[in-house]
Amino acid sequence: MDILSIVGSLASLWGAWYAWNQAKKSELAANLVVKIKSQLIHHRDIENLSQLEPLSKKSITKMRKYAVQSINELSGLSPQVDADYVQEYINEVYALSDFFPDNKSENLYKKVNSLIQNFVNTNQDQELKELGNEIHNELVAFSLVFNKIRKTYQSKTE
């Protein structure tokens, strides 16, 4: 009977150790899952932000000509087409507003959207140049914010 008690106690101790060991493995696996989930979310965020970069560059390029060309050189330009690129960009920025602090994306959207409406509806070259220049300046100013945020996200993956 004593031998049976000793064997039972040893089996019980081994069972407890085995259960504890399995619990530790499960905890490590759960922590790994949380870490992988976090990395996937972070990479998705970087991907979302990366989609803005070509739109930003294209929009700034489209509006730059209104900032640097003389009024006489504006004939032949297509403000509606150029404004469409900018509108697409600010729509995407607004959709990703969670990434930008202090309502920066909302402010950009409100300001540039209003400027675009005036930009496409004007018939005066001087006003077209002034509005195009103002839109260009707003986009360039926001690109600093965008680049800072993009670099912050990218630095977290290195």
Side-chain angles (χ1 to χ4, degrees):
M1 210 47 167
D2 286 333
I3 289 182
L4 207 49
S5 293
I6 293 172
V7 170
S9 295
L10 290 175
S12 177
L13 288 173
W14 181 83
W17 172 82
Y18 185 76
W20 175 81
N21 195 24
Q22 292 302 312
K24 280 298 201 189
K25 287 180 183 178
S26 295
E27 182 181 8
L28 290 174
N31 289 340
L32 183 61
V33 166
V34 168
K35 184 177 178 181
I36 290 171
K37 179 183 174 188
S38 175
Q39 287 176 342
L40 287 173
I41 290 170
H42 184 71
H43 284 288
R44 183 198 64 207
D45 292 346
I46 290 173
E47 181 181 335
N48 287 338
L49 284 172
S50 295
Q51 292 173 6
L52 290 178
E53 188 170 9
L55 293 174
S56 172
K57 288 180 179 180
K58 187 74 165 179
S59 296
I60 289 171
T61 300
K62 289 290 184 179
M63 299 313 291
R64 181 181 302 123
K65 54 191 158 197
Y66 299 97
V68 298
Q69 291 184 349
S70 70
I71 292 174
N72 299 335
E73 296 173 317
L74 293 180
S75 62
L77 297 180
S78 179
Q80 286 78 16
V81 172
D82 296 337
D84 191 47
Y85 282 99
V86 175
Q87 188 68 52
E88 180 183 2
Y89 173 60
I90 65 170
N91 289 347
E92 289 298 318
V93 167
Y94 191 73
L96 297 173
S97 62
D98 291 344
F99 292 105
F100 302 100
D102 305 326
N103 297 324
K104 297 238 187 243
S105 64
E106 291 90 346
N107 294 339
L108 175 77
Y109 182 84
K110 288 176 189 172
K111 176 87 175 180
V112 173
N113 192 49
S114 173
L115 290 169
I116 286 175
Q117 299 311 310
N118 295 332
F119 179 76
V120 296
N121 291 318
T122 189
N123 293 326
Q124 299 175 1
D125 286 343
Q126 179 64 37
E127 188 177 7
L128 187 68
K129 180 171 175 44
E130 289 171 4
L131 290 167
N133 187 39
E134 195 171 346
I135 292 169
H136 177 262
N137 291 341
E138 290 291 328
L139 295 175
V140 168
F142 187 78
S143 71
L144 296 174
V145 173
F146 168 67
N147 286 331
K148 228 181 247 186
I149 290 169
R150 185 177 50 83
K151 287 177 183 175
T152 300
Y153 271 87
Q154 287 176 338
S155 69
K156 289 180 183 176
T157 56
E158 295 173 349

